[in-house]
C-alpha cells in the first residue's frame, strides 16, 4: 500500500481515479544506503519516485563521479523519465545516498498515463525546471568556484540532505564526487579547517552551528 500522504502531496491534483491507478500499478521498494538503483547502459523498466531518503544521480569518467543532482522526497529522476521516449537506456547512475523508500512505476504504465491523465505532464515539467537549475548550479560551481568553496559547498549539501552534523564523509568519497584526487581534498580540508569553517573529528566533519547549511 502506497502512503496516502505521498499520493496527496505528489499526485492529488490528478484525482481519485489516478490514485486508484497508482495503488494498482505502483511498486514500493526499500533500498539500503549506497545501493545502486540504476546504472549507465541499463534498460529502464521503471520510473522512480523517492518517498523517503535521497538518491544521487551522476555519471562516471575514469572512475570519477560527476554529480548532476540529488532526488529528494516527492521527486523523480528526470533523466530516467526522459529516456522512456527514446530507447529507455539509462545514461546515468543512480545510487541511494541513505536508506530510502522508492515508488517504482512501470514504463509501460507511465506511457498509458500520459494519454489518460495528460495533466501528469505538469509533474515532469516541474521536475525539468528543478533539474535544469541543479545542472546549471553544478556547471557554475565547477567553472567559477575555487575547489575549497566547492568542497565546503558539498559538505553543507550533505549535511542538509541527511540532517547529520557532524557527517561521516571520507576524503576519497569527497574527491570522487567532485572529480579530483584524495590528496587534493585532504589539503583543502586542512586549509578550511584552519580557517575555522569546519572541524574534523572521529565522528566526522562538522560545520559550526552558526554556519547556514539550509540553503543547500
Amino acid at each position: 500500500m502506497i502512503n496516502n500522504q505521498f499520493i496527496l502531496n505528489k499526485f492529488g491534483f490528478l484525482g481519485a481515479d489516478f490514485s486508484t491507478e497508482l495503488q494498482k500499478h505502483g511498486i514500493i521498494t526499500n533500498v539500503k544506503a549506497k545501493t545502486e538503483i540504476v546504472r549507465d547502459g541499463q534498460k529502464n523498466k521503471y520510473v522512480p519516485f523517492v518517498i523517503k531518503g535521497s538518491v544521487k544521480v551522476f555519471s562516471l569518467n575514469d572512475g570519477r563521479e560527476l554529480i548532476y543532482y540529488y532526488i529528494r522526497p516527492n521527486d523523480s529522476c528526470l533523466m530516467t523519465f526522459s529516456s522512456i521516449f527514446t530507447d529507455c537506456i539509462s545514461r546515468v547512475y543512480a545510487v541511494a545516498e541513505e536508506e530510502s523508500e522508492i515508488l517504482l512505476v512501470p514504463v509501460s504504465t507511465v506511457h498509458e498515463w500520459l494519454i489518460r491523465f495528460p495533466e501528469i505532464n505538469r509533474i515532469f515539467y516541474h521536475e525539468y525546471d528543478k533539474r535544469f537549475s541543479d545542472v546549471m548550479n553544478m556547471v557554475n560551481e565547477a567553472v567559477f568556484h575555487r575547489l575549497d568553496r566547492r568542497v565546503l559547498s558539498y559538505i553543507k549539501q550533505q549535511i542538509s540532505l541527511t540532517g547529520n552534523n557532524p557527517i561521516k564523509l571520507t576524503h576519497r568519497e569527497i574527491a570522487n564526487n567532485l572529480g579530483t584526487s584524495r590528496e587534493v581534498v585532504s589539503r583543502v580540508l586542512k586549509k578550511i579547517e584552519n580557517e575555522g569553517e569546519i572541524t574534523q573529528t572521529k565522528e566526522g566533519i562538522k560545520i559550526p552551528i552558526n554556519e547556514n547549511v539550509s540553503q543547500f
Side-chain angles (χ1 to χ4, degrees), residues 42-44 78-91 107 111:
Q42 171 186 318
K43 190 173 183 65
N44 289 320
L78 179 69
M79 297 185 79
T80 300
F81 177 72
S82 64
S83 76
I84 74 174
F85 296 104
T86 53
D87 52 11
C88 289
I89 300 300
S90 176
R91 291 165 179 79
V107 166
H111 278 298

Side-chain angles (χ1 to χ4, degrees), residues 10-188:
K10 188 71 177 178
F11 303 103
F13 71 95
L14 291 167
D17 287 346
F18 183 83
S19 295
T20 300
E21 282 284 309
L22 190 60
Q23 292 284 5
K24 179 180 177 182
H25 295 286
I27 302 167
I28 297 293
T29 182
N30 292 299
V31 181
K32 293 182 179 180
K34 309 305 179 186
T35 299
E36 184 178 84
I37 301 168
V38 174
R39 66 182 296 107
D40 186 17
Q42 171 186 318
K43 190 173 183 65
N44 289 320
K45 298 180 181 179
Y46 301 95
V47 175
F49 295 87
V50 174
I51 299 174
K52 296 178 183 177
S54 64
V55 174
K56 176 174 65 177
V57 178
F58 61 96
S59 62
L60 279 177
N61 186 2
D62 293 330
R64 294 183 178 179
E65 296 179 2
L66 177 62
I67 299 173
Y68 294 124
Y69 52 81
Y70 290 88
I71 313 173
R72 298 175 175 85
N74 294 325
D75 288 345
S76 181
C77 180
L78 179 69
M79 297 185 79
T80 300
F81 177 72
S82 64
S83 76
I84 74 174
F85 296 104
T86 53
D87 52 11
C88 289
I89 300 300
S90 176
R91 291 165 179 79
V92 295
Y93 294 86
V95 173
E97 279 286 277
E98 56 187 313
E99 187 170 343
S100 302
E101 183 180 4
I102 297 175
L103 166 66
L104 300 175
V105 181
V107 166
S108 59
T109 300
V110 175
H111 278 298
E112 292 177 10
W113 286 351
L114 289 170
I115 297 172
R116 294 179 56 196
F117 304 96
E119 281 294 298
I120 198 175
N121 281 291
R122 284 170 49 187
I123 292 174
F124 298 109
Y125 292 147
H126 180 64
E127 293 288 340
Y128 174 83
D129 182 64
K130 290 172 65 177
R131 300 310 164 210
F132 184 77
S133 295
D134 287 342
V135 172
M136 287 297 295
N137 289 336
M138 179 269 292
V139 171
N140 285 334
E141 286 233 340
V143 173
F144 298 113
H145 290 192
R146 300 196 320 267
L147 185 58
D148 58 345
R149 296 300 93 190
R150 292 174 59 203
V151 169
L152 187 59
S153 176
Y154 175 77
I155 294 168
K156 288 181 177 181
Q157 182 185 61
Q158 295 306 303
I159 289 173
S160 180
L161 280 170
T162 64
N164 298 328
N165 187 22
I167 186 168
K168 285 281 189 181
L169 291 170
T170 67
H171 295 193
R172 174 72 67 187
E173 182 179 356
I174 297 172
N176 287 342
N177 284 323
L178 296 182
T180 185
S181 69
R182 181 188 58 78
E183 293 79 10
V184 168
V185 166
S186 296
R187 290 197 296 271
V188 168

